[in-house]
């Protein structure tokens, strides 16, 4: 009898662990690019939280709506080109010396929830830099593959445009 109880508890524990793991799992996306410019020059272009439209081709305008630009708690409203959809994002961390910032999506048209992303610029040799953009999220209003493809597409479009801005 005690063996049956032990097996029952083990099975229940496995089911509970599986349920917790499923609820805690999130999707991820990551893109990186080598840019033909110094890290300082690239950071000068992308390091302003309130100026995503200055380098990302999908963003028609960026407006800081809450807080102070480049300080945690600042929120930006992105108006997208094409259909004019909007995305509100909040700055979570900003490290000018480390050339990195982290933000979350508060609300918007992208098919994600619980989204958190970091963009970082690092030197990569003689007058070049590596920019990485990665995030974690859950799908919302779309399947996992579509949500992941969408976010990877956002990152790739921005990084491809950035490379073109510094092309020789």
């Amino acid at each position: 009898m005690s063996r049956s109880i032990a097996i029952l508890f083990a099975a229940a524990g496995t089911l509970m662990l599986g349920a917790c793991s499923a609820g805690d799992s999130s999707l991820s996306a990551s893109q990186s690019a080598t840019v033909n410019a110094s890290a300082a020059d690239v950071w000068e272009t992308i390091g302003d939280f309130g100026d995503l439209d200055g380098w990302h081709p999908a963003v028609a305008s960026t407006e800081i709506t809450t807080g102070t630009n480049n300080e945690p708690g600042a929120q930006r409203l992105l108006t997208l080109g094409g259909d004019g959809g909007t995305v509100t994002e909040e700055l979570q961390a900003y490290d000018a010396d480390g050339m990195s910032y982290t933000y979350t999506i508060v609300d918007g048209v992208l098919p994600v929830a619980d989204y958190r992303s970091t963009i970082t610029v690092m030197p990569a040799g003689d007058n070049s830099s590596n920019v990485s953009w990665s995030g974690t999220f859950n799908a919302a209003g779309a399947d996992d593959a579509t949500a992941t493809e969408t976010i990877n597409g956002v990152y790739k479009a921005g990084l491809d445009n950035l490379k073109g801005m510094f092309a020789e």
Side-chain angles (χ1 to χ4, degrees):
M1 172 127 164
S2 62
R3 184 164 192 260
S4 297
I5 293 172
I7 292 171
L8 180 61
F9 277 121
T14 302
L15 288 173
M16 288 175 59
L17 180 60
C20 290
S21 296
D24 292 341
S25 68
S26 61
L27 304 170
S28 64
S30 182
Q31 296 287 317
S32 63
T34 299
V35 179
N36 290 324
S38 70
D41 287 346
V42 173
W43 180 250
E44 180 73 25
T45 301
I46 71 170
D48 182 353
F49 183 70
D51 188 34
L52 188 59
D53 60 302
W55 63 275
H56 199 295
V59 179
S61 68
T62 308
E63 176 188 358
I64 297 296
T65 58
T66 303
T68 302
N69 191 29
N70 296 336
E71 291 186 14
Q75 289 189 359
R76 66 184 178 190
L77 176 65
L78 308 176
T79 302
L80 307 177
D83 66 1
T86 61
V87 179
T88 300
E89 298 176 333
E90 183 172 317
L91 187 62
Q92 301 298 313
Y94 187 88
D95 181 0
D97 293 336
M99 294 185 277
S100 177
Y101 65 83
T102 300
Y103 64 95
T104 56
I105 291 180
V106 176
D107 187 40
V109 296
L110 296 175
V112 296
D114 304 317
Y115 174 95
R116 182 176 183 88
S117 182
T118 300
I119 189 162
T120 304
V121 180
M122 297 184 69
D126 292 342
N127 203 40
S128 67
S129 57
N130 188 291
V131 181
S132 65
W133 200 353
S134 61
T136 59
F137 49 89
N138 293 310
D143 59 53
D144 290 356
T146 299
T148 301
E149 182 179 320
T150 298
I151 299 304
N152 270 315
V154 167
Y155 296 168
K156 184 170 178 7
L159 295 177
D160 284 351
N161 193 62
L162 186 65
K163 286 190 317 187
M165 292 171 69
F166 289 98
E168 295 179 301

